[in-house]
Amino acid sequence: SILAITQELHEAEQEHYAHMEEIEKNTHAIQQKLKTFVQQVEDLLERQEYDAVEMYASEFLEQSSLGDHDSVCGNELVNALVNYWQPIFRRFGVTMQITISLGARNPIEPLHMTAILGNLLRNAGEALARVPEGQDRLLNLTLQQLGGAFVIVLDNSFDGQLKQDEEQNYLSSKRGFTERGVGLDSIRSSVEQCGGTFTIQVQGQRFESSVVLPLQSALE
């Protein structure tokens, strides 16, 4: 167990490094876009084409994407978790459908939100990375409050290879299907502490995880 946790921490560090590399590439791309924009504006100003400057600036702001870190909802914690993974999913060529209806208040404890949503996204990322080239890589994520419950549903493609132990727990492909995944155990632990339910359904090469939690006293 100690070895498994140590390995998970090492992999988390590698993911953090990869994320920092992605930020560096995005920053360089933004700098290049802004440099081109400034050069074009200077040329237009030098020719005293002031109306053209206004038109060019408007078109630039409409067409340019200056970053991947858009707000997906009003909740800062969920934004941070989703925006961590979105550039990685894009790098894999994943087609994403994200539907989140949350305000600023946290529907569950931030620690449990991080453990549940963070591990769901991480497991999806690892599964999508193993999908062979040329096959569809799809991810659908929904977070919403329904009555007195908070629901998370994540549906993603995978390579179709799964194994379970005698207790029907899914085994980690990273460990050659010999041990349970630490991520799924972490999700189960938080779900149990919140008094909720965690279910997994597999249909062909689609893996769907569903979490239903009773709403707790929300924290800012």
Side-chain angles (χ1 to χ4, degrees):
S1 298
I2 293 175
L3 180 60
I5 292 172
T6 301
Q7 183 175 346
E8 291 289 337
L9 290 173
H10 176 65
E11 290 170 355
E13 290 177 356
Q14 290 180 318
E15 288 171 2
H16 177 69
Y17 178 72
H19 181 55
M20 294 302 294
E21 285 187 322
E22 192 71 30
I23 291 175
E24 184 178 357
K25 287 193 295 184
N26 289 339
T27 300
H28 179 70
I30 291 170
Q31 289 173 340
Q32 291 299 113
K33 288 182 179 181
L34 291 176
K35 182 178 179 180
T36 301
F37 172 76
V38 171
Q39 289 174 344
Q40 291 290 338
V41 169
E42 287 178 346
D43 290 342
L44 292 170
L45 288 173
E46 188 174 340
R47 298 197 298 268
Q48 298 184 348
E49 298 180 16
Y50 303 116
D51 291 341
V53 170
E54 183 177 355
M55 183 180 298
Y56 176 67
S58 298
E59 291 176 354
F60 178 83
L61 292 175
E62 289 178 2
Q63 298 176 7
S64 295
S65 175
L66 298 181
D68 291 311
H69 302 286
D70 301 322
S71 294
V72 294
C73 68
N75 187 284
E76 292 184 4
L77 177 56
V78 172
N79 280 332
L81 292 168
V82 173
N83 281 325
Y84 177 92
W85 283 99
Q86 279 199 99
I88 299 173
F89 293 145
R90 290 193 181 104
R91 191 170 68 241
F92 292 155
V94 178
T95 300
M96 292 178 283
Q97 178 66 47
I98 298 176
T99 305
I100 301 178
S101 302
L102 290 179
R105 294 170 66 85
N106 292 312
I108 59 174
E109 292 286 343
L111 178 63
H112 293 312
M113 179 72 84
T114 302
I116 295 170
L117 181 57
N119 278 300
L120 286 175
L121 289 167
R122 181 181 179 185
N123 289 343
E126 292 171 351
L128 288 162
R130 292 192 296 273
V131 174
E133 291 292 336
Q135 294 187 15
D136 290 338
R137 291 174 172 172
L138 307 173
L139 180 142
N140 298 317
L141 173 65
T142 301
L143 282 80
Q144 59 184 332
Q145 296 181 23
L146 295 175
F150 172 53
V151 180
I152 304 175
V153 178
L154 198 158
D155 175 14
N156 62 270
S157 308
F158 76 109
D159 62 5
Q161 299 184 32
L162 287 175
K163 289 186 179 180
Q164 295 172 281
D165 60 18
E166 294 178 354
E167 298 176 350
Q168 302 303 304
N169 294 306
Y170 287 100
L171 302 175
S172 173
S173 60
K174 293 186 297 183
R175 301 187 177 89
F177 299 107
T178 59
E179 302 176 38
R180 289 167 55 174
V182 174
L184 288 178
D185 283 346
S186 178
I187 295 170
R188 290 191 185 94
S189 176
S190 282
V191 170
E192 288 175 2
Q193 291 180 57
C194 292
T197 59
F198 174 41
T199 58
I200 294 173
Q201 291 185 336
V202 179
Q203 296 185 358
Q205 293 184 311
R206 300 296 293 272
F207 191 94
E208 181 180 293
S209 303
S210 302
V211 175
V212 179
L213 306 169
L215 290 173
Q216 302 176 3
S217 297
L219 301 174
E220 294 293 343

